[in-house]
Amino acid sequence: MILYPHLSVNGEGHLTIGGIDTLELAERFGTPAYVMDENTIRQNMRTYMQAAEKNFGKGALPLYASKALCFAEIYKIAKEEGLGVDCVSGGELFTARAAGFPAERIYFHGNNKTDRDIKDAMDMGVGTFVVDNIDELLAVNSEAARRNIVQNILLRITPGIDPHTHKAISTGNVDSKFGNAISTGQAMEIVKDALKLPNIKLNGLHCHIGSQIFDVKPFASAADIMIKFISEIKKECGGFEINELNLGGGLGVKYTDNDPYIDYAAAIGDMAEVINKFCRAHDIKTPLVRLEPGRSLVAAAGITLYTVGSVKEIPGFKNYISVDGGMPDNPRYALYQSEYTVCIADRADKPKDYKATVAGRCCESGDLIGENMDIQKAKRGDILAVLVTGAYNYSMASNYNRIPRPPVIMVKDGQARIVVRRESYEDLIKNDCLDNPVG
Ligand SMILES: *Cc1c(COP(=O)(O)O)cnc(C)c1O
């Protein structure tokens, strides 16, 4: 096993995923390619589902935060596993519905839903809007009024928690662009506004404190603050009881040997314990608790396969291994200096006794998969694997330098299938108006 049980090395010394030789996958599907192990995704979903039911009771639906990895097949898997999903844009909603995902199990997020998004979501019958701000609250109410419906909502609240993660993935601070801060009084204000609007049903509160968090403590602090706020609402708003508390996503994932493993079931058990304790202390009934994992459901399941193009050794400085992808398919090092584990798939059984910066093929010096990485010695034509790329890689991919997006290959029980095709050069120009007259 290499980091996770679905990653291993076969008798020929090749890296395998879900029991399949990655060199065969690279040969059959080309590189770069994302490869995902379906059983790992399903197992993670079941872990959350069972832990949620055990600790929060029946109906305690986990929501898959689909921005982590978004294509039709993933919504089909989430549907089969009985999860709800969180969508953050018209495009994610459209994909979910195209895959037949039930609209009532969709939570619609985002800090700036356009009028069109709101209309499209109501056309689909989206179950719950997670309303970010007062402008949006009024817009949702008027669109619901026009249709003569009452829209179920949660309000996004900022608990003022800093989970000590990278600032670009920390979202619960008071000065965040998301939500309404409790400490400034704006959260209470928007609750009161929501309760006055005739076409809004305030079902609950939502917070999301950040991502890649390895400790239950920040979640416990967020829960404490949110539950105290729920009890203040009860006092200030004529006994109104909040029905649902959504604590967002953010549980971390092991990317390298330096990260810990997280026992998600145990973490959820710990959260439930403190939530019950806080509810008793503040004398409110325990709300229906929801979690919104993204990364922890899909990250570990995925790897990316590349072909090595060159190995450049700059004497006295460093070594570069260049691959046939990079920041267009994995922008996470450029964005957050995220760390990864890499290996040469052809010789995955050999020690990683070489140090290199793994570089992409784009015209940017910052186009790197990682610096100073431990890896086997490489040569042109080798297959290089980056592990734990299932989250925020495909979903963040771009066509920078007019590079087509790689395919997504799903492996399951010894079989591989394409779930997203490789983009072609024709796909790249399909929206270009080639026959416009010049000038
Ligand atoms: C990003 C996000 C999530 C998922 O976060 P992970 O760290 O991937 O688990 C959940 N809820 C909201 C509102 C988010 O923005």
Side-chain angles (χ1 to χ4, degrees):
M1 149 170 154
I2 302 182
L3 285 184
Y4 292 96
H6 60 287
L7 300 174
S8 186
V9 180
N10 66 15
E12 291 163 276
H14 300 170
L15 176 72
T16 62
I17 176 166
I20 305 184
D21 190 324
T22 53
L23 265 56
E24 279 169 28
L25 291 169
E27 174 75 31
R28 181 169 158 205
F29 297 105
T31 61
Y34 302 107
V35 185
M36 312 244 3
D37 182 53
E38 183 173 336
N39 287 335
T40 300
I41 299 174
R42 288 185 185 270
Q43 192 48 54
N44 290 337
M45 289 183 173
R46 284 170 205 172
T47 299
Y48 267 94
M49 198 72 190
Q50 285 158 9
E53 283 185 354
K54 177 168 166 227
N55 292 287
F56 306 134
K58 279 265 174 243
L61 182 75
L63 308 170
Y64 166 52
S66 58
K67 71 172 197 257
L69 179 71
C70 179
F71 46 73
E73 187 77 7
I74 203 81
Y75 290 106
K76 289 188 194 160
I77 293 172
K79 178 185 169 190
E80 282 175 18
E81 295 298 332
L83 275 74
V85 298
D86 136 9
C87 291
V88 296
S89 68
E92 286 187 1
L93 287 174
F94 188 82
T95 311
R97 290 300 286 149
F101 197 88
E104 65 280 5
R105 295 213 308 255
I106 298 178
Y107 281 60
F108 186 24
H109 275 273
N111 70 309
N112 187 5
K113 300 173 185 74
T114 64
D115 288 343
R116 170 160 179 207
D117 291 339
I118 293 171
K119 286 198 177 84
D120 287 350
M122 285 189 192
D123 283 345
M124 286 176 201
V126 159
T128 306
F129 279 62
V130 183
V131 171
D132 182 88
N133 55 68
I134 184 72
D135 294 315
E136 183 185 319
L137 181 68
L138 296 174
V140 170
N141 184 65
S142 13
E143 186 58 27
R146 210 175 60 75
R147 293 162 190 254
N148 211 8
I149 60 166
V150 174
Q151 180 63 50
N152 228 0
I153 70 154
L154 306 184
L155 286 172
R156 177 138 183 182
I157 304 298
T158 319
I161 298 280
D162 180 356
H164 303 295
T165 184
H166 191 286
K167 75 175 184 319
I169 52 176
S170 165
T171 52
N173 312 40
V174 173
D175 63 352
S176 164
K177 76 164 182 168
F178 299 103
N180 305 271
I182 297 175
S183 62
T184 60
Q186 284 159 308
M188 187 60 86
E189 233 169 88
I190 198 169
V191 166
K192 289 179 179 170
D193 288 336
L195 289 174
K196 276 187 229 137
L197 294 171
N199 296 83
I200 291 288
K201 177 175 184 287
L202 176 59
N203 199 37
L205 304 180
H206 173 278
C207 68
H208 170 74
I209 54 177
S211 207
Q212 193 60 351
I213 303 166
F214 286 99
D215 190 353
V216 174
K217 279 194 209 102
F219 292 99
S221 313
D224 187 12
I225 293 167
M226 294 295 283
I227 289 164
K228 188 156 159 279
F229 182 54
I230 291 173
S231 78
E232 280 161 17
I233 294 172
K234 194 175 165 187
K235 278 182 220 128
E236 280 200 35
C237 304
F240 179 78
E241 297 215 49
I242 290 290
N243 197 25
E244 183 173 323
L245 174 60
N246 182 325
L247 291 175
L251 278 172
V253 166
K254 182 179 178 72
Y255 284 92
T256 70
D257 286 330
N258 300 327
D259 298 325
Y261 283 108
I262 292 202
D263 180 341
Y264 299 110
I268 294 166
D270 292 347
M271 284 185 208
E273 201 174 301
V274 297
I275 290 167
N276 286 324
K277 192 178 84 189
F278 295 145
C279 287
R280 278 195 303 275
H282 291 291
D283 195 26
I284 58 164
K285 74 170 180 14
T286 303
L288 192 56
V289 178
R290 297 212 191 288
L291 298 176
E292 278 172 347
R295 184 192 309 272
S296 52
L297 292 179
V298 294
I303 64 173
T304 308
L305 299 177
Y306 300 102
T307 302
V308 173
S310 80
V311 180
K312 186 180 288 180
E313 301 188 340
I314 309 177
F317 293 91
K318 54 175 141 179
N319 308 323
Y320 282 100
I321 299 178
S322 292
V323 296
D324 57 350
M327 67 188 283
D329 60 80
N330 183 357
R332 291 188 68 252
Y333 189 78
L335 277 173
Y336 325 118
Q337 296 76 53
S338 310
E339 291 194 32
Y340 282 101
T341 302
V342 290
C343 71
I344 297 299
D346 311 60
R347 293 182 291 288
D349 57 335
K350 295 286 184 297
K352 294 184 184 176
D353 50 9
Y354 192 71
K355 284 242 187 245
T357 289
V358 178
R361 59 174 300 177
C362 287
C363 303
E364 298 279 338
S365 334
D367 170 22
L368 305 174
I369 299 293
E371 290 172 278
N372 210 19
M373 302 181 99
D374 292 322
I375 192 164
Q376 292 84 1
K377 205 160 173 109
K379 60 177 192 312
R380 183 174 168 89
D382 282 346
I383 300 301
L384 185 148
V386 182
L387 311 185
V388 198
T389 58
Y392 304 110
N393 273 238
Y394 174 73
S395 66
M396 284 186 163
S398 76
N399 289 128
Y400 184 52
N401 282 188
R402 276 294 203 202
I403 294 173
R405 286 182 183 79
V408 183
I409 311 302
M410 194 73 83
V411 303
K412 184 172 195 262
D413 306 330
Q415 302 285 321
R417 67 186 196 282
I418 299 174
V419 295
V420 181
R421 276 189 293 276
R422 182 184 301 284
E423 276 180 342
S424 64
Y425 292 139
E426 288 72 27
D427 289 334
L428 293 177
I429 64 161
K430 74 175 183 291
N431 296 318
D432 290 15
C433 303
L434 286 172
D435 42 16
N436 269 355
V438 176

